């Protein structure tokens, strides 16, 4: 497995990058290129990146999130109040808290310049809604860097702008990614470190003297661990890549020393990002133990059985939801990812490097009893790269097949164009969904969603809808009091329309992660309600069949008015 | 879909410029919401001025205010209650009145209240309890009031058909209900 670095580099650069095997990849002087030309090769990524950022910013005022106040803003407040830079909360490591604290820099400078008490000023700022929005913007931008890293990774590996654009756009236009990275949370940042590690690993595999890229890769992995503990698994592919590059060249001892160096760098990055490792060790261990018990014990409606059930649930989410809210698109992208993995079969070393993290990470989470999908974001960059590879491989295969036997097959040529057109269409659909969802967030607290529900009911006169008391009251506010196909007796209806928060006695009673929980909902799309039905944010009108409502034992069916 | 160049490209040639653009965007993100004046709202109190807990009192929210009391407070014909579902991290009771009007009383934890307060922002509502913040009226006329004492917090939501000129106003009604509900929770806690 471990052989010469040089042969490994040649193998990848000469054959995988699409160059002629006759022209050695690193032979001869490098062609001079203008900075402008370099920039033009990289500019296309700005399109998906800016769409993600633009729609993201439009939806920052999305309402209430469970964790932001107490587990993200609170620890920063503690750091400022005590002046000790220890957040005193270790359910997460501390990288995020440094980011959030750094976001106060302009306030600190301004307060200092005005001669105010800096600490008081910062505490006052932290307690404001404006600071929360600022943090959301910072986390959005930071997490969105994953799009850039993936673009650069594919460009470096494949030397193909379209393939790099596809990988970048798959992440940027994923609704699941888009709404998660608006949150002040660790998961988007970890995803970004996952993508950065991926980029650095690709550089290590494809550049001359690529081993030097392994050291920043180890630092990125360490910071990933400093963002969320399971992110430490990012070090595994770094060590594998190091082993593959070094063992045959520097001998076993040299290899071990270098791998130890990578571990040391990652450890140092982790400790620097989470100084409680040294300064508040027992509290940190307590925080980690709490999270181990938390994920090992289940989390309300997100609880699943360990093993195959959890693995299947993750496969369902990653295969049928994460790349699009439209199941056929999401499934097609997942299929491309499978093709991309399959296309690596003749390059086992690269396959091991690229697959080791997502496989290990998913296996680790399969052993847990809580499935909160935001933890899965970090594997999305890897899947996007595989999917882009799969699509490109398929397009290349169709092109080659069309020219086989000396005469072009028109059918295969059209099939190839059809594939490319379908990909473009799918990306446009996903991007327009981001636009739509951001608009719904801007229309929070308006009458739009009730109007939409009324129009929906009116357009289906053959279907009988149950209206919950609050939905009926809102229909009445808008003058829709005499719709003939509505009833206040749920058992007489085929469909029920109710506010989500009317449905269950407690938020813990909602079953999470069910892609088909509701038929649709009328309300802001700041979150995928089918995945997070226990959301504490804005209420929304949900539509489901009476049979589903009965299966879920909704309050409207099980309680009577007193 | 493959490129044609024969030599590996310096990845950070154009990438460096992109990183520069990104850095500017991060700074812009920091500044995006930095210009807002720090408002002297309830939310500016440093955590710790009022204790916070995720605990919920074991009280039936439908038992806090009777139908008769609600009818008097709302100046409405209230004809019944039913379990109202979830109220943030707690539970609610819904009162139904002619109109139709729905008034929900929810019991939530003080920690959830503090979390909501940061999200809602805005000016505090005074003379309700130790702290209170309100949302609305929204496009449907709904008003949501969140109020807390040292150890308890409630949500009162007023929805439905009610004239803007009716007395009490939705906010006045929500405040009166919140006051009564908090008082009852405190008395039952002993």
């Amino acid at each position: 497995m471990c052989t010469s670095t040089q042969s490994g580099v040649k193998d990848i650069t000469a054959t995988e990058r699409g160059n002629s095997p006759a022209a050695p990849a690193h032979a001869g002087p490098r062609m001079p290129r203008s900075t402008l030309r370099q920039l033009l090769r990289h500019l296309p990524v700005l399109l998906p990146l800016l769409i993600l950022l633009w729609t993201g910013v439009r939806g920052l005022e999305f309402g209430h999130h469970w964790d932001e106040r107490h587990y993200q803003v609170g620890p920063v407040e503690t750091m400022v109040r005590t002046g000790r830079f220890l957040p005193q909360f270790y359910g997460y490591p501390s990288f995020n808290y440094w980011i959030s604290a750094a976001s106060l820099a302009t306030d600190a400078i301004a307060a200092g310049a005005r001669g105010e008490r800096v600490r008081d000023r910062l505490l006052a700022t932290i307690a404001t809604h404006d600071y929360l929005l600022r943090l959301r913007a910072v986390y959005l931008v930071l997490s969105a860097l994953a799009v850039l890293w993936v673009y650069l990774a594919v460009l470096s590996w494949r030397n193909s702008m379209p393939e790099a654009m596809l990988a970048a756009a798959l992440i940027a236009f994923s609704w699941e990614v888009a709404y998660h990275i608006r949150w002040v949370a660790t998961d988007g940042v970890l995803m970004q470190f996952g993508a950065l590690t991926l980029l650095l690993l690709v550089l290590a595999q494809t550049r001359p003297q690529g081993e030097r890229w392994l050291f920043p890769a180890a630092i990125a992995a360490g910071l990933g661990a400093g963002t969320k503990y399971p992110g430490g698994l990012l070090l595994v592919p770094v060590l594998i890549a190091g082993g593959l590059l070094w063992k045959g060249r520097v001998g076993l001892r040299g290899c071990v020393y270098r791998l130890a160096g990578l571990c040391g760098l990652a450890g140092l990055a982790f400790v620097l990002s989470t100084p409680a490792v040294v300064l508040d060790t027992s509290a940190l261990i307590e925080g980690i133990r709490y999270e181990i018990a938390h994920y090992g014990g289940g989390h309300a409606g997100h609880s699943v059985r360990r093993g195959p059930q959890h693995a299947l649930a993750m496969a369902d989410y990653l295969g049928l939801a994460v790349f699009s809210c439209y199941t056929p698109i999401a499934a097609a992208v997942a299929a491309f990812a499978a093709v991309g993995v399959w296309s690596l079969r003749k390059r086992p070393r690269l396959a091991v490097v690229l697959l080791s993290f997502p496989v290990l990470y998913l296996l680790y989470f399969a052993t847990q009893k809580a499935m909160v999908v935001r933890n899965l974001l970090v594997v999305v960059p890897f899947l996007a790269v595989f999917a882009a590879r799969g699509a490109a491989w398929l397009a290349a295969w169709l092109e080659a097949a069309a020219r086989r036997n000396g005469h072009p097959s028109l059918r295969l040529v059209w099939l190839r164009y059809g594939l490319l057109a379908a990909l473009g269409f799918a990306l446009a659909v996903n991007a327009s969904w981001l636009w739509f969802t951001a608009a719904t967030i801007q229309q929070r607290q308006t009458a739009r969603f009730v109007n939409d529900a009324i129009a929906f009911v009116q357009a289906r006169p053959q279907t009988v809808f149950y209206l919950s008391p609050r939905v009926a009251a809102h229909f009445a506010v808008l003058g829709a009091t005499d719709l003939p196909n509505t009833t206040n007796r749920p058992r007489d209806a085929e469909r029920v329309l109710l506010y989500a928060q009317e449905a269950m006695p407690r938020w813990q009673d909602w079953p999470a992660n069910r892609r088909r929980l509701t038929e649709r909902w009328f309300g802001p799309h700041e979150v995928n309600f089918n995945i997070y039905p226990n959301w504490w944010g804005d209420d929304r009108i949900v539509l489901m069949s009476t049979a589903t409502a009965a299966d879920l034992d909704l309050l409207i069916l099980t309680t009577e008015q007193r | 879909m493959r490129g044609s160049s024969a030599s590996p490209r310096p990845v950070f040639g154009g990438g460096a410029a992109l990183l520069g653009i990104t850095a500017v965007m991060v700074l812009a993100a920091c500044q995006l919401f930095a210009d807002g004046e720090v408002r002297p709202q309830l939310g500016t109190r440093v955590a710790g001025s009022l204790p916070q807990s995720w605990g919920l009192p074991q009280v039936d929210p439908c038992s806090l205010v009777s139908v008769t009391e609600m009818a008097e407070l709302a100046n409405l014909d209230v004809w019944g209650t039913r379990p109202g579902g979830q109220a943030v991290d707690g539970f609610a009771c819904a009162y139904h009145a002619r109109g139709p009007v729905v008034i929900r009383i929810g019991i939530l934890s003080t920690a959830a209240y503090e979390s909501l307060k940061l999200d809602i922002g805005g000016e505090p509502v005074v003379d309700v309890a130790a702290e209170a913040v309100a949302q609305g009226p929204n496009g449907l006329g709904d008003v949501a009031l969140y109020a807390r004492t040292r150890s308890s917090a409630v949500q009162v939501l007023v929805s439905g058909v009610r004239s803007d000129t009716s007395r009490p106003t939705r906010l006045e009604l929500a405040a009166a209900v919140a006051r009564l509900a908090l008082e009852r929770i405190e008395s039952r806690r002993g």
Side-chain angles (χ1 to χ4, degrees):
Chain A
M1 206 166 83
C2 291
T3 55
S4 142
T5 311
Q6 286 304 323
S7 66
V9 170
K10 275 185 183 173
D11 173 49
I12 291 162
T13 52
T15 58
E16 290 188 5
R17 290 165 58 84
N19 303 331
S20 162
H26 307 301
R30 188 175 289 170
M31 281 178 66
R33 287 184 177 79
S34 69
T35 305
L36 179 65
R37 189 169 170 192
Q38 287 297 324
L39 187 61
L40 287 176
R41 276 177 59 78
H42 294 85
L43 271 184
V45 72
L46 286 180
L47 178 67
L49 194 56
L50 288 177
I51 290 175
L52 176 64
L53 291 174
W54 177 249
T55 55
V57 168
R58 287 183 77 201
L60 283 183
E61 185 78 275
F62 62 74
H64 186 216
H65 182 276
W66 320 274
D67 288 353
E68 287 177 338
R69 172 65 186 87
H70 295 290
Y71 304 115
Q72 294 294 335
V73 175
V76 179
E77 186 181 64
T78 302
M79 288 164 74
V80 172
R81 196 176 61 243
T82 60
R84 287 193 63 216
F85 295 98
L86 287 172
Q88 297 179 17
F89 170 77
Y90 301 109
Y92 302 119
S94 302
F95 182 81
N96 263 31
Y97 305 137
W98 291 105
I99 296 294
S100 301
S103 304
L104 289 164
T106 51
D107 300 270
I109 293 167
R114 283 197 292 263
E116 296 174 2
R117 284 173 58 90
V118 173
R119 185 178 300 180
D120 291 348
R121 172 71 184 185
L122 296 187
L123 287 172
T125 301
I126 287 170
T128 61
H129 184 63
D130 289 339
Y131 176 64
L132 180 67
L133 293 183
R134 186 195 309 178
L135 286 188
R136 285 179 183 170
V138 167
Y139 280 84
L140 171 73
V141 173
L142 187 60
S143 304
L145 286 176
V147 175
L148 180 60
W149 305 146
V150 161
Y151 181 86
L152 293 174
V154 177
L155 198 61
S156 174
W157 173 26
R158 302 299 311 161
N159 194 20
S160 162
M161 217 158 57
E163 192 173 329
M165 267 297 276
L166 178 59
L170 285 174
I171 296 186
F173 300 158
S174 156
W175 181 42
E176 292 296 321
V177 168
Y179 74 76
H180 277 107
I181 67 172
R182 286 195 190 103
W183 302 354
V184 183
T186 52
D187 309 277
V189 181
L190 177 58
M191 176 182 74
Q192 177 272 145
F193 278 124
L196 180 59
T197 308
L198 172 65
L199 165 63
L200 296 167
L201 285 171
V202 166
L203 291 176
Q205 297 288 309
T206 58
R207 298 284 120 178
Q209 297 173 327
E211 63 190 72
R212 66 192 164 135
W213 294 104
L214 290 176
F215 296 99
I219 293 171
L223 292 177
T227 304
K228 202 159 192 174
Y229 299 115
L233 288 172
L234 284 168
L235 186 59
V236 172
V238 180
L239 294 178
I240 291 174
L244 291 171
L245 284 169
W246 285 321
K247 192 183 171 195
R249 203 154 50 109
V250 296
L252 184 60
R253 183 176 290 182
C255 186
V256 168
Y257 283 155
R258 283 167 171 78
L259 294 180
L262 292 178
C263 290
L265 267 180
L268 186 65
F270 176 63
V271 172
L272 287 175
S273 67
T274 308
V277 174
V278 178
L279 302 175
D280 203 0
T281 313
S282 58
L284 181 89
I285 290 170
E286 192 55 39
I288 294 172
R289 285 176 61 185
Y290 174 86
E291 289 305 327
I292 289 172
H294 177 201
Y295 276 89
H299 181 75
H302 295 271
S303 299
V304 288
R305 279 204 294 274
R306 285 191 171 101
Q309 191 198 45
H310 195 160
L312 281 174
M314 288 191 293
D316 181 81
Y317 178 73
L318 294 172
L320 301 174
V322 84
F323 281 112
S324 181
C325 65
Y326 298 101
T327 307
I329 295 178
V333 175
F336 284 135
V339 172
V341 170
W342 182 75
S343 75
L344 291 174
R345 69 197 182 284
K346 290 179 183 168
R347 298 166 185 100
R349 291 178 212 151
L350 186 66
V352 168
V353 170
L354 295 183
L355 282 167
S356 55
F357 171 73
V359 169
L360 276 177
Y361 189 85
L362 294 176
L363 280 176
Y364 166 71
F365 269 97
T367 65
Q368 306 300 306
K369 281 186 168 177
M371 178 176 156
V372 185
V373 299
R374 65 186 197 175
N375 287 301
L376 305 180
L377 288 189
V378 66
V379 302
V380 174
F382 292 82
L383 295 181
V385 169
F386 294 139
R389 182 77 287 272
W393 183 90
L394 201 56
W397 183 84
L398 285 171
E399 188 179 19
R403 290 178 182 171
R404 210 169 288 153
N405 304 326
H407 52 87
S409 157
L410 209 55
R411 194 166 55 90
L412 289 176
V413 170
W414 279 111
L415 201 56
R416 180 170 178 271
Y417 284 127
L419 171 69
L420 299 178
L423 280 170
F425 177 73
L427 292 176
V429 166
N430 278 359
S432 61
W433 179 256
L434 291 196
W435 206 267
F436 163 78
T437 55
T440 66
I441 297 169
Q442 293 201 308
Q443 289 169 323
R444 293 172 61 217
Q445 306 293 329
T446 70
R448 177 215 163 142
F449 307 116
V450 176
N451 271 320
D452 288 349
I454 292 169
F456 185 86
V457 170
Q458 285 174 327
R460 289 159 183 79
Q462 306 303 320
T463 306
V464 178
F465 293 88
Y466 162 79
L467 303 184
S468 76
R470 217 172 129 223
V471 171
H474 279 159
F475 273 37
V477 167
L478 298 181
T481 52
D482 53 356
L483 300 177
N485 58 331
T486 60
T487 175
N488 61 0
R489 290 188 298 274
R491 293 182 200 287
D492 295 345
E494 297 154 65
R495 297 281 184 277
V496 298
L497 277 168
L498 72 159
Y499 273 97
Q501 293 186 0
E502 294 178 291
M504 293 288 186
R506 306 174 315 143
W507 66 270
Q508 292 93 334
D509 298 323
W510 275 107
N513 304 328
R514 291 194 188 180
R515 287 184 297 104
R516 297 185 181 183
L517 179 69
T518 67
E519 294 182 13
R520 62 183 297 168
W521 68 88
F522 302 92
H525 284 60
E526 81 283 36
V527 67
N528 185 345
F529 181 79
N530 290 334
I531 300 296
Y532 295 102
N534 39 31
W535 185 241
W536 291 3
D538 280 9
D539 209 353
R540 68 208 67 217
I541 299 173
V542 298
L543 171 74
M544 57 176 71
S545 70
T546 310
T548 305
D551 284 346
L552 294 172
D553 280 338
L554 296 194
L555 275 176
I556 53 162
L557 297 170
T558 58
T559 62
E560 296 297 327
Q561 182 192 309
R562 298 180 199 171
Chain B
M1 295 184 69
R2 289 178 173 187
S4 59
S5 175
S7 64
R9 233 157 230 87
V11 167
F12 295 115
L18 279 181
L19 282 171
I21 293 169
T22 308
V24 170
M25 288 194 295
V26 172
L27 286 173
C30 283
Q31 280 304 306
L32 195 56
F33 298 97
D35 298 332
E37 189 184 349
V38 178
R39 296 185 293 266
Q41 56 179 320
L42 281 175
T44 58
R45 287 192 188 183
V46 177
S49 59
L50 280 176
Q52 301 175 44
S53 156
W54 291 109
L56 289 162
Q58 293 307 305
V59 177
D60 175 4
C62 284
S63 71
L64 292 173
V65 179
S66 71
V67 168
T68 315
E69 287 171 323
M70 185 62 86
E72 284 175 13
L73 288 172
N75 195 20
L76 283 170
D77 180 8
V78 180
W79 44 265
T81 65
R82 68 188 302 167
Q86 134 198 13
V88 197
D89 64 336
F91 26 82
C93 177
Y95 293 75
H96 303 284
R98 230 166 277 288
V101 170
V102 178
I103 302 161
R104 290 178 89 222
I105 301 178
I107 298 174
L108 56 145
S109 69
T110 49
Y113 170 89
E114 292 299 327
S115 184
L116 273 164
K117 186 175 71 177
L118 193 65
D119 274 310
I120 292 170
E123 298 300 319
V125 179
V126 295
D127 295 335
V128 178
E131 283 189 8
V133 288
Q135 235 180 348
N138 65 15
L140 296 159
D142 284 12
V143 167
L145 179 78
Y146 301 87
R148 69 164 292 186
T149 59
R150 279 185 67 79
S151 55
S152 311
V154 294
Q155 169 206 58
V156 179
L157 177 65
V158 183
S159 311
V161 179
R162 190 169 168 82
S163 161
D164 289 342
T165 57
S166 311
R167 287 289 162 189
T169 65
R170 289 167 196 253
L171 185 58
E172 288 167 347
L173 169 59
V177 172
R179 252 181 243 119
L180 189 57
L182 283 169
E183 185 186 307
R184 298 264 163 88
I185 294 171
E186 295 293 315
S187 69
R188 288 184 199 179
R189 278 176 183 269

